[in-house]
Amino acid sequence: MNWKKYPIILFTFCLFTGLLQAQETSHVHGSAPDYALKVISVFSYTDFVSERKQWLTSDVVDENGSFDLEIPCAEITYIGIRCDHVTAYMYLEPQTNYRISFLSPEVGTSVTFNDKAETELIFEELELSDINSLIIDFNYRYEGFFTQNYELLQRMFAPTNKQDLADSLGHVARKAVKGNIEQLLDKMEQFALNMDTMYVEFDLPYFKSYRTAVLGDMMLNSKMDPRDFFDRFIAPRSFQAQHRAQTELQKKFYRYYFLRHAQSYGNEELGEVLNDLGSYTRLCELVSKDDFMETEVRRDIVLSMAIAEVWGNKSMEKDKLADILASIGKESKSEAASKVALDLLHVLNSNEKGFPAYSFSLYDQFNDRTSIEGLSGRPIIIQFWASWCSDCQSEQVLFDLLSNTHKNDFYFISMNMDDLEDIPSIVKRDKHVHHLLGISDPLIKESYKVNSLPFYVLIDENGLIYDYDGKRPSEGLESILLKWKKKKEETKRTIGSKEN
């Protein structure tokens, strides 16, 4: 081997590797004229079962209203672009440059600290073969198809008179409904074939799955037999948790299916497995008889979906449901199903009493680092506030008094929710010490589900949620702290007594 060539080979390899890494990004740049000097951030979802957000990148809109976002992207990804509590959505293709205009929401929309406020994007010079262009075009054609067949859809979805089902009129009605479904399926099949032909030149698998999911969603509430629906819209495609439309269709289908067929599993046996045992193994044995969950990956993801549906039911033991999700995460033979279960577990228990609090690590205005792990041993009181929040100002004074009075028994964290660009001016005029100032980790707000201000979260000495959305200082927060402190002192005395 000619060793003199080795540096060239190494350089070529490094250059090639760098090019590969560079290709894993896309650019979204453009204008947001009404959001000058605001932070603009991009997020995606780890999957559409848990809908857990992951933040990808951020930029500051300059004084002229321009921004430039470089976003990691290895496959078609549905992303949200958020600026000043307003969000717009689009699909992102790898190695693609997009130029967009980020518009203000419609007049009258409440946007202050409201993550549900949405706006539209205007694309400039969008390629015909881009996934956004294809979906926009298809949706337009689908709306035309829906309008043309509205009369047929109306007949098919019309409620049936239950009193007539036993007589001949009911029999005629059932035959008519069946005929309507078959007629619509024929038209849908022809429409789908027309779309396949129309988009054959740039028919991405992702786009074809999208089209099928849209048509399936139209048929979901019809009187179509569940088996026929499953065979037509669900079974032909492997589950893709990162495909928004397909996942939404399957979530709706299994929600519909379980509501009507839960008794098939035996209510007492199902309740025992979920509530008393929290047994993933027993649950698998119970549902394995159902051929709608023919593959392990589908079964495990559907079980995760079902747990998400019943999580808020007061009759359910959340710790048992959490045990099942943890078992799926650990034992599932499908890496995709395992990840979905663990992401869902994180989302569901993020604000539940007795479950681990979201762990974060940020710097204060003195550049000192604070983290949840570093504050073990004492309960933690977190206050979320912002300079523009009028109620926060009066609560801040009382919060400071509490922190001075009980500083030896509790950790107090004051979490500012202003844009990072506004922080220097706040520090200059505000003489209070704020342990964490500025949201450089957007997942904090997401994980603690902070939807209003001021907002208080109490975490016990073991890092578990003690009180989510707790009382304000003006509403009796101190009384909770005093009871907490008294209980802790009584526990210490009991442990140190001669009886023990």
Side-chain angles (χ1 to χ4, degrees), residues 132-283:
N132 294 281
S133 179
L134 293 171
I135 287 177
I136 291 169
D137 186 69
F138 170 74
N139 287 345
Y140 173 78
R141 298 179 187 282
Y142 169 73
E143 287 173 8
F145 172 79
F146 188 92
T147 301
Q148 291 172 6
N149 294 279
Y150 180 74
E151 185 178 344
L152 178 59
L153 285 163
Q154 203 172 29
R155 291 201 306 270
M156 188 177 67
F157 290 118
T160 305
N161 187 337
K162 293 182 179 179
Q163 293 180 345
D164 290 341
L165 288 178
D167 58 28
S168 58
L169 290 176
H171 178 68
V172 171
R174 287 196 301 276
K175 286 186 67 176
V177 168
K178 184 178 180 182
N180 291 340
I181 291 174
E182 290 174 349
Q183 185 180 355
L184 185 63
L185 279 173
D186 288 342
K187 291 194 172 189
M188 282 177 52
E189 194 69 43
Q190 186 58 52
F191 176 73
L193 289 173
N194 291 341
M195 294 300 98
D196 288 345
T197 302
M198 179 173 293
Y199 297 114
V200 67
E201 185 179 348
F202 21 65
D203 200 7
L204 305 169
Y206 190 103
F207 179 44
K208 193 161 188 174
S209 292
Y210 178 88
R211 300 201 308 268
T212 302
V214 169
L215 293 174
D217 189 68
M218 182 177 68
M219 294 297 298
L220 191 60
N221 293 319
S222 71
K223 298 176 179 64
M224 187 176 183
D225 180 75
R227 163 52 61 187
D228 293 339
F229 185 93
F230 181 83
D231 290 343
R232 174 69 175 81
F233 297 103
I234 307 293
R237 286 173 172 77
S238 60
F239 194 92
Q240 301 173 54
Q242 281 73 38
H243 196 299
R244 177 171 172 260
Q246 189 195 88
T247 303
E248 286 300 318
L249 177 67
Q250 299 207 30
K251 283 166 70 174
K252 289 179 182 178
F253 169 74
Y254 282 106
R255 183 184 300 129
Y256 158 89
Y257 177 73
F258 278 124
L259 281 174
R260 290 159 177 75
H261 299 86
Q263 67 274 10
S264 302
Y265 302 104
N267 290 337
E268 291 184 6
E269 190 174 0
L270 183 60
E272 179 189 16
V273 172
L274 289 173
N275 255 7
D276 300 334
L277 301 176
S279 172
Y280 167 57
T281 303
R282 286 281 306 280
L283 189 58

